[in-house]
């Protein structure tokens, strides 16, 4: 494999399949947290320093920006963290611009796989191999690319992508988890007959239209064409070369055309999803398990789960790369203070607080994994432990995917067939790969 994310994606698979529910050991290396030890660079001995942390508005529930944690950091170090909240649809463009004109925030929250393609990871961000917390990391691969740690997180848990569903509705209607597309349509028909919308599609946010194909394509490739992404990223194959990809795009569109979704798929947005589930207006949604967390925050009694995208018989559950990591730009104005913030978050006390509050699978050897929520335990038992997960296509993409999302959105506007979507993406993909000077393009 000759493309940039080989190390990341291969290792994330290993990390996913090796997740353990046992408490993380406490015999690891001692933390060198500078904030706790008092050896901070911007601490109470000097003038107050303010560092800037840029984060998408869609990530305002991030554990790293909880106000009590920011307040404690400021109290200990005399360093204030100011948040730059960026509109979700503008996040990539805004950050690209800031990095280009050297108006860089001190810290950025982003996704590692996306950072390699969108933000030029190697050129723009600090290598964090030698930071005090790095020696205590259990699974360094989920934070690494190009053989180095570039990002920070206290969790090694990745988001799982499939069909989020309401278990109570399934139980009330006597429904079982569908194993293929025909069974899925039958489930939709029974739900619709009960007066509930079977599937919520919030495709005003065009990235949401990629949840189905990202898992379906990856599942097919893993089982039927395991060298596809190698060939794709060396220009030996194209997206449109795989007939099944057209089938999977047509499947998602058929769910809509057969009347099993909300009517206004191109007007309804992701921020409506939690309310739709809370009100039991919908039974299912093609989404990641992070949606379940959002619903349970407002109603812990709701019984939700997730099953694989039923594009093929007995498909694997999609596993997205670990998201929401913190990065430090090389040209950060307060480089030392930014690193100190990561040291603070990685300290045993603070990391344990974050892991406990979010139900994370700990990635630090002296921080204990808490009892997991039922839905997450179910994912581990039914999919991770028996090795029924597959990394989604996002993990293998070396270029910006926003044009693909727009093309998927265009299909639902009635403007493109699945074949036209894939051929148009082939053209754009080749152009983007050539622009990045990827060999073969």
């Amino acid at each position: 494999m000759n493309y940039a994310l080989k190390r990341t994606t291969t290792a994330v698979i290993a990390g996913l399949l090796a997740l353990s529910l046992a408490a993380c050991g406490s015999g690891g290396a001692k933390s060198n947290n500078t904030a706790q030890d008092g050896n901070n660079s911007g601490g109470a001995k000097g003038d107050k320093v303010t560092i800037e942390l840029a984060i998408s508005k869609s990530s305002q529930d991030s554990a790293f920006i909880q106000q009590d944690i920011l307040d404690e950091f400021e109290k200990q170090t005399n360093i204030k963290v100011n948040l730059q909240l960026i509109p979700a649809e503008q996040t990539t463009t805004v950050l690209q611009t800031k990095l280009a004109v050297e108006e860089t925030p001190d810290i950025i929250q982003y996704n590692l796989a996306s950072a390699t393609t969108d933000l030029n990871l190697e050129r723009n961000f600090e290598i964090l191999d030698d930071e005090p917390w790095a020696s205590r990391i259990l699974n360094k691969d989920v934070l690494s690319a190009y053989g180095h740690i570039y990002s920070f997180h206290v969790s090694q848990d990745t988001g799982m992508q499939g069909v989020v569903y309401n278990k109570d509705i399934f139980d009330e209607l006597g429904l079982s988890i569908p194993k293929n597309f025909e069974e899925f349509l039958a489930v939709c028909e029974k739900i619709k007959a009960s007066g509930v919308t079977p599937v919520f599609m919030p495709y005003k946010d065009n990235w949401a239209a990629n949840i189905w194909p990202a898992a379906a394509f990856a599942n097919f490739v893993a089982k039927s064409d395991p060298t596809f992404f190698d060939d794709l990223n060396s220009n030996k194959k194209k997206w449109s070369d795989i007939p099944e990809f057209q089938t999977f795009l047509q499947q998602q569109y058929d769910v809509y055309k057969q009347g099993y979704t909300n009517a206004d798929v191109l007007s309804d947005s992701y921020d409506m999803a939690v309310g739709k589930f809370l009100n039991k207006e919908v039974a299912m949604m093609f989404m990641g398990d992070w949606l379940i967390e959002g619903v349970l925050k407002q109603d812990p009694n709701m019984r939700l789960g997730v099953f694989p995208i039923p594009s093929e018989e007995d498909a694997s559950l999609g596993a997205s790369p670990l998201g929401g990591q913190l990065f430090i730009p090389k040209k950060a104005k307060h480089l030392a203070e930014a690193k100190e913030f990561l040291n603070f978050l990685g300290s045993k006390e603070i990391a344990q607080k974050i892991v406990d509050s979010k139900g994370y699978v700990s990635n630090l050897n002296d921080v204990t994994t808490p009892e997991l929520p039922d839905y997450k335990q179910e994912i581990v038992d039914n999919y991770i432990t028996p090795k029924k997960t597959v990394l989604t296509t996002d993990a293998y993409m070396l270029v910006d995917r926003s044009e693909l999302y727009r093309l998927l959105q265009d299909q639902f506007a009635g403007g493109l067939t699945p074949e036209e979507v894939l051929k148009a993406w082939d053209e754009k993909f080749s152009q983007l790969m050539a622009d990045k000077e990827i060999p073969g393009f």
Side-chain angles (χ1 to χ4, degrees):
M1 190 179 291
N2 60 2
Y3 51 91
L5 285 184
K6 177 185 183 209
R7 295 186 182 89
T8 302
T9 54
T10 303
V12 172
I13 293 173
L16 277 169
L17 301 181
L19 288 179
S20 171
L21 295 183
C24 299
S26 60
K30 182 180 178 182
S31 169
N32 256 344
N33 183 288
T34 55
Q36 286 188 332
D37 295 342
N39 297 323
N40 59 73
S41 58
K45 294 180 181 179
D47 295 333
K48 177 170 286 190
V49 174
T50 298
I51 61 176
E52 302 289 332
L53 193 164
I55 183 171
S56 170
K57 286 184 178 180
S58 64
S59 300
Q60 290 186 70
D61 62 347
S62 168
F64 301 133
I65 61 170
Q66 294 175 190
Q67 193 58 51
D68 58 337
I69 288 177
L70 300 183
D71 290 344
E72 180 62 24
F73 178 63
E74 184 175 353
K75 178 181 177 182
Q76 287 193 27
T77 66
N78 206 26
I79 301 171
K80 178 179 176 61
V81 179
N82 184 55
L83 301 180
Q84 295 181 4
L85 295 176
I86 306 171
E89 68 277 8
Q90 300 176 21
T91 300
T92 299
T93 301
V94 169
L95 291 177
Q96 288 173 338
T97 300
K98 286 180 176 292
L99 290 167
V101 301
E102 299 186 13
E103 293 181 358
T104 58
D106 298 298
I107 304 173
I108 289 171
Q109 178 165 310
Y110 210 70
N111 176 283
L112 177 61
S114 299
T116 61
T117 60
D118 301 344
L119 304 182
N120 202 326
L121 188 71
E122 281 188 299
R123 183 182 70 188
N124 288 321
F125 295 97
E126 284 284 295
I127 291 173
L128 305 174
D129 294 344
D130 298 326
E131 293 307 300
W133 47 267
S135 63
R136 296 157 50 230
I137 294 293
L138 292 167
N139 185 0
K140 294 183 179 180
D141 296 311
V142 298
L143 304 175
S144 302
Y146 315 113
H148 295 288
I149 296 175
Y150 277 94
S151 63
F152 171 88
H153 208 298
V154 297
S155 175
Q156 58 176 308
D157 191 14
T158 67
M160 295 297 174
Q161 296 180 194
V163 183
V164 174
Y165 73 108
N166 185 311
K167 292 183 177 182
D168 287 334
I169 292 177
F170 268 55
D171 290 347
E172 290 165 7
L173 298 177
L175 302 174
S176 300
I177 292 175
K179 300 294 185 181
N180 55 50
F181 188 61
E182 289 71 27
E183 290 184 8
F184 181 74
L185 292 180
V187 164
C188 288
E189 183 61 33
K190 290 182 179 179
I191 294 172
K192 182 179 179 180
S194 75
V196 175
T197 299
V199 178
F200 180 55
M201 289 185 172
Y203 294 170
K204 178 181 179 180
D205 295 311
N206 54 21
W207 61 268
N210 189 50
I211 296 294
W212 180 287
F217 290 5
N219 179 75
F220 174 81
V221 166
K223 294 178 179 178
S224 304
D225 194 356
T227 65
F228 173 74
F229 288 114
D230 287 338
D231 294 337
L232 176 77
N233 287 316
S234 57
N235 206 17
K236 296 176 183 176
K237 283 188 178 180
K238 297 186 180 298
W239 295 92
S240 58
D241 289 341
I242 309 298
E244 288 80 3
F245 286 2
Q246 292 185 41
T247 299
F248 302 147
L249 293 184
Q250 186 64 46
Q251 287 174 342
Q252 180 175 222
Y253 187 67
D254 285 346
V255 175
Y256 163 65
K257 289 298 289 184
Q258 293 186 31
Y260 296 136
T261 73
N262 46 310
D264 300 323
V265 296
L266 295 180
S267 299
D268 292 343
S269 58
Y270 175 79
D271 59 11
M272 301 165 63
V274 170
K276 295 285 186 181
F277 275 90
L278 290 171
N279 295 330
K280 296 187 177 179
E281 297 176 40
V282 299
M284 297 180 288
M285 181 175 171
F286 311 144
M287 192 45 60
D289 62 353
W290 53 84
L291 172 64
I292 301 178
E293 180 183 353
V295 173
L296 295 182
K297 280 183 180 178
Q298 297 196 38
D299 185 356
N301 295 318
M302 286 209 73
R303 298 176 58 242
L304 302 181
V306 60
F307 60 82
I309 297 295
S311 53
E312 296 183 275
E313 190 75 26
D314 291 322
S316 296
L317 189 65
S320 60
L322 180 66
Q325 297 104 316
L326 298 179
F327 300 82
I328 299 178
K330 290 180 178 179
K331 295 182 179 179
K333 296 179 177 64
H334 302 99
L335 189 63
E337 289 82 1
K339 290 184 176 182
E340 188 168 348
F341 183 58
L342 300 194
N343 292 341
F344 171 79
L345 295 174
S347 67
K348 180 177 180 180
E349 178 184 357
I350 300 301
Q352 188 69 66
K353 181 177 181 179
I354 294 172
V355 166
D356 288 345
S357 69
K358 290 293 187 179
Y360 286 150
V361 178
S362 172
N363 201 15
L364 292 163
N365 61 21
D366 54 358
V367 174
T368 303
T369 296
E371 182 178 354
L372 297 176
D374 289 345
Y375 79 89
K376 191 170 289 187
Q377 183 68 59
E378 194 173 78
I379 289 171
V380 173
D381 293 342
N382 294 340
Y383 299 105
I384 293 176
T385 299
K387 301 182 180 181
K388 293 183 177 179
T389 65
V390 60
L391 271 173
T392 61
T393 56
D394 294 339
Y396 301 93
M397 304 277 274
L398 306 183
V399 296
D400 182 9
R401 299 174 293 283
S402 57
E403 180 67 12
L404 171 62
Y405 302 160
R406 189 190 66 76
L407 290 168
L408 294 172
Q409 195 179 49
D410 283 350
Q411 183 185 3
F412 284 85
L416 295 176
T417 65
E419 181 181 12
E420 289 169 339
V421 169
L422 292 171
K423 288 187 174 180
W425 176 232
D426 273 335
E427 184 176 343
K428 183 64 175 180
F429 180 81
S430 295
Q431 175 191 328
L432 292 171
M433 293 289 275
D435 290 344
K436 289 179 69 71
E437 300 182 349
I438 302 297
F441 289 87

